[in-house]
């Protein structure tokens, strides 16, 4: 019996070559798209899920509730973990902190940009490492030991054994020598952790407060412990253990109302990394809703391919009516016919499933370039073959169930007695619905792709409030070996003929601020406005000139006229009334001026602000000398926030250079000056316009990915339409002939047929537009500035 089914399937396959080609190609393209997107989605969802007991590993984040809003941060105080382990002694099995310090690593006469990662001993119990050389646990026997990752060891020492070698770490503190005790490799899998080395975190070398943001705190719970038990007691824990300096918050506030701790599963960090001012570069991250969108698209494209199979199978049902009737007349039962048609379905899907991996392997290099990954199909894993078999069964059932049910129910008497083939009315209705679904899905994808591309073009043209062209940043100038030469360095660079301007700053574009304060605005009558959590941006002379941030009123900081912050006289609470506004000068941006009530036109009339100092009950009074336009200096992913600019070049970590001419030529000239002034310190530059372009790089390849699969969906839908058109022309040849005999013109017949195919497309538009626009409104929510629709009602959200 099964042998007959097999021969019947082969016969159908070769007897209707065009039909078979259309069906197989549509299914193969759908399966190929499904596999590619699923490879991407699986990789995105795999971050930090490979650790042993990953479900029990959490990072403790903190939220600080300022008066003007809450700030969510990944780093916490170093005081947190010891208190947690004491309070939850039976729930927390392991706990470790991670403190990162950026600087340079020296090996012999060579220096490398690097980071020192200080952790507790439990870190290697929470996360798994493969030790390649030495002993990893010996790293925690003293504070002058260091373990290197395999990549770092190869980079620093080549092929020779790194264990026992000495490396020196330079930062803005005194240089520290470390002896290499081990070389390790992370457990295989995607992770947000970037750890080129590990050192022992010595509490004695760190001073901390409960409001500090020193490093990240990780815990691993006991096997049977629920995180809900921890979360339910965190408020009581905070009240019992945490504290903040007097006067830092409103009187009468409880500690737990100010500081809130929130556990976050390790596998969720990739989708919500939280703000981390201690990082020089943001952690790899993704948007969970985007991953869900791609999962939906993969299923949608596969369903479109299956729908194509159903449409063409039911369309051909009338041609096979007599075949079914004859089979039934000679004794075939409905179940046997269903098995035959399911067998045909499995044959088509099996062939498509053989072709799909071939297409995937061919496209993977291009696809990996698209998404900036190294995806691959693991043919050595049994799970791969089980997945393909599962896909074969599901797709064959989805694509073959309805045709099998329709074809097996033809009545022999009715079909053989008819003068022409008949078709079940229900099959026609279902086919129309499926065609409608195909085009609605394809049109929705096209609309989404157009809006995404429009948004990316739109945000690319939004001015950041400064001129990013012909601007680069020399990084890490606060290192101990560079700091003494900063003034000489900037002067030598300014003397270069290609250099237009140069200025120091503590931040570079797209850096986050880890320094904010409470602020009050004063005029002659006293305090008139107060704000919490105003970011402080420390800058050098000619900063605004270099970045070309326009002044709304007032002037730039000037040498000999404005004091640098290191010369401020900080005042205690008891002599606040006697402080002199002329002690320091500040510049505020337009958002800060608006929030505090600074009169832009009267910056010379004695408007000054009072901000908190470093110590409790310590204050600084500063005269507002200028108001500058808002800029998105810190990030283009958010609208400008209030900012206060202080003159403090001593704490600068960056030197920004504006130039004319060839970028590479001026970089070489600046590097020559660097080598002459600073000697062998690592020279690193970052072009500002390139940094801005990278800001929305992820959204850019997401858009390209969406475009690719939208084209594939439309291609499958068009294949289906072509098949339907071929079938229609085949069944309506006599009708068209009669119409022409009766006097119908060719144009009339063409219009009739076009209108018939146009109706489902128009109906699909009515369905697709609202769904696509609603989806895009959700997607656009991640952007501070959003493209408007071409319709009257803008879809941008203020």
């Amino acid at each position: 019996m099964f042998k007959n089914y097999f021969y019947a399937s082969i016969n159908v396959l070769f007897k209707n070559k065009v039909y078979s080609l259309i069906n197989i190609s549509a299914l193969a393209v759908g399966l190929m798209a499904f596999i590619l997107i699923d490879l991407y989605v699986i990789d995105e969802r795999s971050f930090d899920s490979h650790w042993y007991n990953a479900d029990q590993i959490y990072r403790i984040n903190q939220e600080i509730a300022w008066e003007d809003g809450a700030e969510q941060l990944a780093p916490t105080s170093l005081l947190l973990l010891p208190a947690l382990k004491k309070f939850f002694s039976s729930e927390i099995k392991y706990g470790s902190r991670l403190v990162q310090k950026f600087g340079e690593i020296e090996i012999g006469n060579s220096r490398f940009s690097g980071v020192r990662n200080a952790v507790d001993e439990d870190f290697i119990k929470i996360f798994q490492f493969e030790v390649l050389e030495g002993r990893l646990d010996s790293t925690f026997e003293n504070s002058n030991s260091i373990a290197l990752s395999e990549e770092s060891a190869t980079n620093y020492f080549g092929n020779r054994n790194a264990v026992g070698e000495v490396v020196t770490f330079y930062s803005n503190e005194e240089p520290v020598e470390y002896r290499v005790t081990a070389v390790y490799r992370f457990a295989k899998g995607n992770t947000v952790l970037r750890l080129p080395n590990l050192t022992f975190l010595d509490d004695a070398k760190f001073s901390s407060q409960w409001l500090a943001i020193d490093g990240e705190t990780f815990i691993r719970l006991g096997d049977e412990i629920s995180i809900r038990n921890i979360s339910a007691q965190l408020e009581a824990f905070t009240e019992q253990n945490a504290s903040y300096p007097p006067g830092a918050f409103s009187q009468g506030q409880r500690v737990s109302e100010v500081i809130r701790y929130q556990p976050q599963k390790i596998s969720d960090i990739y989708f919500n990394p939280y703000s981390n001012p201690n990082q020089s570069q943001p952690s790899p991250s993704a948007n969970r809703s985007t991953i869900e969108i791609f999962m939906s698209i993969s299923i949608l494209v596969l369903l479109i391919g299956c729908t194509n199979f159903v449409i063409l199978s039911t369309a051909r049902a009338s041609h096979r009516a007599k075949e079914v009737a004859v089979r039934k007349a000679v004794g075939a039962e409905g179940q046997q016919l269903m098995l035959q048609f399911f067998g045909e379905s499995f044959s088509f899907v099996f062939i498509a499933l053989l072709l799909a991996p071939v297409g995937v392997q061919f496209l993977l290099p291009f696809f990996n370039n698209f998404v900036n990954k190294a995806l691959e199909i693991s043919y050595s894993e049994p799970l791969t073959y089980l997945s393909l078999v599962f896909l074969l069964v599901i797709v064959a059932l989805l694509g073959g169930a309805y045709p099998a049910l329709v074809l097996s129910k033809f009545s022999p008497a009715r079909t053989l007695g008819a003068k022409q083939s008949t078709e079940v009315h229900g099959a026609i209705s279902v086919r129309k619905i499926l065609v409608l679904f195909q085009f609605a899905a394809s049109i929705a994808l096209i609309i989404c792709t157009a809006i995404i591309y429009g948004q990316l073009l739109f945000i690319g043209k939004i001015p950041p409030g400064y001129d990013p062209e012909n601007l680069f940043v020399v990084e890490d100038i606060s290192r101990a070996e560079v700091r003494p030469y900063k003034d000489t360095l900037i002067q030598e660079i300014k003397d270069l003929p290609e250099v237009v301007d140069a200025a120091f700053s503590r931040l570079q574009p797209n850096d986050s601020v880890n320094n904010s304060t409470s602020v009050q605005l004063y005029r002659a009558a006293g305090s008139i406005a107060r704000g919490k959590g105003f970011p402080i941006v420390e800058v050098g002379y000619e900063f605004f000139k270099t970045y070309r941030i326009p002044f709304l009123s007032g002037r730039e900081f000037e040498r000999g006229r404005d004091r640098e912050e290191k010369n401020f006289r900080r005042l205690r609470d008891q002599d606040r009334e006697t402080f002199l506004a002329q002690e320091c000068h500040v510049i505020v941006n337009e958002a800060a001026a608006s929030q505090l009530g600074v009169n832009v036109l009267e910056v010379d009339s004695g408007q000054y602000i009072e901000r908190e100092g470093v110590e409790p009950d310590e204050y600084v009074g500063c005269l507002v000398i200028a108001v500058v336009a808002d800029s998105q200096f810190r990030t283009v992913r958010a609208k400008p926030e209030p900012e206060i600019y202080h003159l403090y070049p001593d704490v600068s970590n960056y030197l920004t250079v504006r130039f004319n001419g060839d970028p590479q030529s001026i970089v070489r000239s600046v590097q020559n000056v660097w080598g002459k002034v600073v000697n062998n310190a690592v020279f690193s530059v970052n072009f500002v316009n390139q940094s801005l372009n990278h800001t929305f790089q992820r959204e850019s390849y997401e858009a390209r990915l969406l475009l690719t699969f939208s084209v594939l969906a439309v291609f499958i839908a068009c294949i289906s339409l072509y098949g339907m058109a071929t079938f229609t022309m085949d069944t309506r040849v006599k009708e068209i002939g009669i119409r022409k005999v009766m006097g119908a013109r060719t144009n009339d017949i063409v219009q009739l047929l076009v209108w018939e195919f146009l109706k489902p497309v128009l109906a699909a538009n009515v369905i697709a537009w609202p769904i696509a626009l609603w989806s895009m409104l959700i997607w656009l929510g991640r952007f501070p500035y959003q493209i408007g629709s071409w319709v009257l009602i803008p879809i941008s959200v203020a």
Side-chain angles (χ1 to χ4, degrees):
M1 179 177 68
F2 289 104
K3 182 178 179 182
N4 291 334
Y5 291 159
F6 174 76
Y7 284 125
S9 299
I10 297 297
N11 182 54
V12 170
L13 186 67
F14 287 100
K15 184 179 180 182
N16 304 279
K17 296 183 179 63
V18 174
Y19 161 79
S20 301
L21 180 63
I22 291 173
N23 253 339
I24 291 172
S25 60
L27 275 174
V29 171
L31 287 165
M32 182 179 65
F34 180 82
I35 293 170
L36 282 173
I37 300 179
D38 267 23
L39 285 173
Y40 174 78
V41 169
I42 290 169
D43 186 81
E44 288 286 279
R45 295 183 60 142
S46 69
F47 271 78
D48 291 299
S49 60
H50 62 288
W51 305 114
Y52 176 74
N53 266 4
D55 289 341
Q56 296 296 89
I57 301 175
Y58 291 84
R59 185 179 70 181
I60 308 298
N61 305 312
Q62 71 172 332
E63 181 181 281
I64 302 177
W66 304 100
E67 284 184 0
D68 57 350
E71 184 178 17
Q72 293 182 321
L73 297 164
T76 58
S77 167
L78 294 181
L79 302 174
L80 175 62
L81 182 64
L84 280 172
K85 293 177 77 172
K86 183 177 180 181
F87 192 90
F88 298 103
S89 57
S90 59
E91 289 92 348
I92 295 177
K93 187 171 184 178
Y94 302 117
S96 176
R97 298 157 294 182
L98 167 63
V99 179
Q100 295 186 309
K101 184 73 175 179
F102 296 90
E104 290 182 358
I105 292 177
E106 182 180 80
I107 293 94
N109 295 322
S110 301
R111 286 200 181 186
F112 306 85
S113 294
V115 58
R116 180 188 64 198
N117 300 288
V119 298
D120 294 289
E121 188 172 2
D122 276 0
F123 193 85
I124 60 174
K125 299 174 184 176
I126 299 174
F127 304 103
Q128 289 73 58
F129 298 82
E130 180 186 348
V131 181
L132 304 179
E133 299 173 12
R135 288 176 47 236
L136 192 56
D137 55 352
S138 65
T139 307
F140 303 97
E141 293 175 358
N142 64 75
S143 58
N144 290 100
S145 297
I146 190 170
L148 299 178
S149 69
E150 183 181 21
E151 294 79 9
S152 296
T154 303
N155 189 29
Y156 299 155
F157 301 104
N159 294 326
R160 74 176 191 269
N161 191 336
V163 174
E165 298 287 347
V166 175
V167 302
T168 306
F169 182 76
Y170 290 84
S171 64
N172 53 2
E173 302 167 352
E174 290 298 317
V176 182
E177 284 191 353
Y178 294 95
R179 188 167 297 278
V180 180
T181 55
V183 176
Y184 62 84
R185 180 189 297 155
F186 252 153
K188 187 176 181 181
N190 288 330
T191 178
V192 297
L193 300 174
R194 297 290 183 264
L195 301 174
N197 56 60
L198 295 175
T199 63
F200 174 56
L201 197 161
D202 187 354
D203 282 5
K205 294 185 177 181
F206 295 92
S207 60
S208 185
Q209 298 177 348
W210 277 98
L211 283 176
I213 47 174
D214 300 311
E216 297 174 77
T217 301
F218 296 92
I219 61 172
R220 195 181 107 189
L221 305 182
D223 293 343
E224 303 300 325
I225 304 300
S226 170
I227 192 61
R228 294 177 182 176
N229 298 341
I230 305 287
S231 300
Q233 301 179 66
L234 278 176
E235 184 175 339
F237 161 81
T238 307
E239 285 294 330
Q240 183 175 321
N241 293 276
S243 63
Y244 53 77
F249 296 93
S250 300
Q251 195 169 11
Q253 274 189 306
R254 292 165 48 228
V255 177
S256 60
E257 293 175 334
V258 176
I259 308 174
R260 303 186 187 98
Y261 294 109
Q262 302 166 340
Q264 181 184 29
K265 187 180 290 188
I266 185 73
S267 56
D268 290 338
I269 294 176
Y270 182 61
F271 297 105
N272 186 10
Y274 278 73
S275 175
N276 193 344
N278 295 342
Q279 291 181 324
S280 65
Q281 295 181 348
S283 297
S285 62
N287 186 284
R288 192 184 295 274
S289 62
T290 303
I291 303 303
E292 291 170 354
I293 287 172
F294 280 114
M295 287 177 64
S296 302
I297 290 173
S298 70
I299 295 171
L300 197 63
V301 173
L302 183 62
L303 286 176
I304 289 174
C306 294
T307 302
N308 180 78
F309 181 82
V310 175
I311 290 170
L312 295 182
S313 296
T314 54
R316 290 190 66 259
S318 60
H319 288 295
R320 303 191 66 181
K322 288 188 177 180
E323 173 195 339
V324 172
V326 170
R327 286 179 178 274
K328 280 193 170 184
V330 296
E333 296 181 359
Q335 291 181 345
Q336 292 175 319
L337 291 170
M338 286 181 65
L339 282 174
Q340 177 189 331
F341 294 127
F342 269 123
E344 292 177 11
S345 174
F346 270 88
S347 300
F348 281 106
V349 176
F350 181 73
I351 295 171
L353 199 57
L354 289 177
L355 295 175
V358 176
V360 168
Q361 286 298 127
F362 175 76
L363 292 175
L364 258 182
F366 307 100
F367 185 72
N368 283 331
N369 286 335
F370 252 32
V371 298
N372 194 28
K373 288 183 178 290
L375 305 175
E376 59 180 12
I377 300 177
S378 179
Y379 291 105
S380 60
E381 294 288 336
L383 185 61
T384 301
Y385 299 98
L386 288 175
S387 300
L388 290 174
V389 170
F390 177 76
L391 199 57
L392 170 66
V393 173
I394 293 298
V395 174
L397 290 175
L398 284 174
Y402 188 77
L405 291 171
V406 171
L407 294 173
S408 63
K409 288 184 178 179
F410 281 139
S411 168
R414 180 172 176 268
T415 304
L416 294 174
K419 293 185 178 180
Q420 62 179 22
S421 309
T422 59
E423 187 174 7
V424 178
H425 179 71
I428 301 173
S429 301
V430 170
R431 190 164 64 244
K432 288 181 178 179
I433 292 172
L434 293 176
V435 170
L436 189 66
F437 162 76
Q438 268 195 331
F439 279 97
S442 303
I443 291 166
L445 285 174
I446 292 171
I447 295 168
C448 292
T449 303
I451 292 176
I452 289 172
Y453 263 94
Q455 173 68 16
L456 291 174
L457 289 174
F458 174 69
I459 59 177
K461 295 185 178 182
I462 294 176
Y466 60 90
D467 183 4
E469 298 301 323
N470 290 352
L471 208 63
F472 67 82
V473 177
V474 182
E475 301 178 316
D476 298 328
I477 61 169
S478 63
R479 289 166 286 173
E481 70 275 21
V482 179
R483 193 165 55 241
Y485 308 104
K486 284 166 62 174
D487 292 337
T488 305
L489 181 66
I490 192 172
Q491 192 55 53
E492 292 270 351
I493 290 174
K494 280 185 173 182
D495 289 340
L496 294 173
E498 306 98 327
V499 173
V500 178
D501 291 301
F504 289 127
S505 62
R506 189 169 188 174
L507 305 175
Q508 67 173 327
N510 290 339
D511 270 1
S512 57
V513 172
N514 59 358
N515 184 14
S516 57
T517 186
S518 298
V519 173
Q520 292 190 72
L521 177 72
Y522 283 81
R523 291 205 187 107
S527 175
I528 62 170
R530 181 175 175 84
K532 276 278 189 182
F534 274 53
I536 302 296
V537 182
E538 293 91 351
V539 300
Y541 298 101
E542 300 178 348
F543 171 82
F544 301 98
K545 181 182 176 185
T546 302
Y547 276 93
R548 294 182 180 171
I549 298 174
F551 279 77
L552 302 181
S553 62
R555 61 178 176 80
E556 175 83 83
F557 291 121
E558 297 176 10
R559 287 181 175 83
R561 188 174 178 182
D562 299 297
R563 288 190 182 183
E564 298 179 12
E565 185 162 345
K566 63 182 178 181
N567 300 319
F568 287 176
R569 183 165 67 88
R570 290 175 166 80
L571 304 166
R572 296 294 174 177
D573 186 52
Q574 58 269 23
D575 59 1
R576 288 172 69 186
E577 298 300 325
T578 64
F579 77 89
L580 301 175
Q582 291 77 13
E583 286 282 336
C584 80
H585 295 165
V586 295
I587 295 172
V588 299
N589 70 344
E590 191 174 4
S594 174
Q595 187 165 330
L596 288 171
V598 174
N599 191 325
V600 178
L601 301 178
E602 299 179 7
V603 291
D604 296 326
S605 62
Q607 300 176 98
Y608 53 91
I609 64 171
E610 174 197 85
R611 74 169 178 84
E612 296 172 340
V614 179
E615 300 296 331
D617 298 324
E618 183 183 77
Y619 299 88
V620 177
C622 301
L623 180 70
V624 179
I625 64 168
V627 178
V628 295
D630 290 335
S631 69
Q632 292 173 284
F633 178 77
R634 291 187 289 124
T635 177
V636 292
R637 283 189 172 274
K639 292 185 177 180
E641 297 178 351
E643 292 176 343
I644 298 174
Y645 299 92
H646 278 257
L647 180 62
Y648 203 175
D650 264 25
V651 297
S652 298
N653 196 35
Y654 303 101
L655 169 59
T656 305
V657 178
R658 181 169 293 282
F659 62 92
N660 284 327
D662 177 51
Q664 299 306 320
S665 174
I666 182 60
V667 167
R668 285 193 296 270
S669 298
V670 171
Q671 188 171 10
N672 290 336
V673 171
W674 176 278
K676 183 175 67 174
V677 174
V678 184
N679 202 1
N680 66 339
V682 172
F683 177 74
S684 175
V685 300
N686 173 34
F687 283 90
V688 175
N689 57 355
Q690 292 179 2
S691 176
L692 286 177
N693 291 338
H694 290 160
T695 303
F696 293 103
Q697 187 177 33
R698 184 179 184 88
E699 284 81 1
S700 178
Y701 74 65
E702 284 174 358
R704 295 198 302 270
L705 195 61
L706 185 60
L707 173 65
T708 302
F709 292 109
S710 297
V711 170
L712 287 176
V714 174
F715 170 74
I716 296 172
C718 289
I719 286 177
S720 175
L721 192 63
Y722 172 76
M724 285 292 297
T726 304
F727 167 75
T728 301
M729 294 303 298
D730 189 38
T731 57
R732 299 182 67 175
V733 170
K734 289 184 178 180
E735 176 195 339
I736 293 170
I738 293 171
R739 286 181 179 275
K740 297 200 78 172
V741 169
M742 298 298 293
R745 294 174 301 175
T746 303
N747 287 343
D748 296 330
I749 295 173
V750 171
Q751 288 176 10
L752 176 69
L753 296 174
V754 168
W755 173 243
E756 187 171 327
F757 290 114
L758 194 59
K759 283 189 289 186
V761 177
L762 294 175
N765 270 280
V766 174
I767 297 169
W769 276 92
I771 295 173
L773 291 178
W774 175 76
S775 302
M776 285 297 96
L777 277 172
I778 297 174
W779 182 82
L780 287 168
R782 68 168 78 176
F783 300 98
Y785 300 101
Q786 300 165 9
I787 190 173
S789 174
W790 53 270
V791 295
L792 293 178
I793 301 174
I795 62 173
S796 59
V797 179

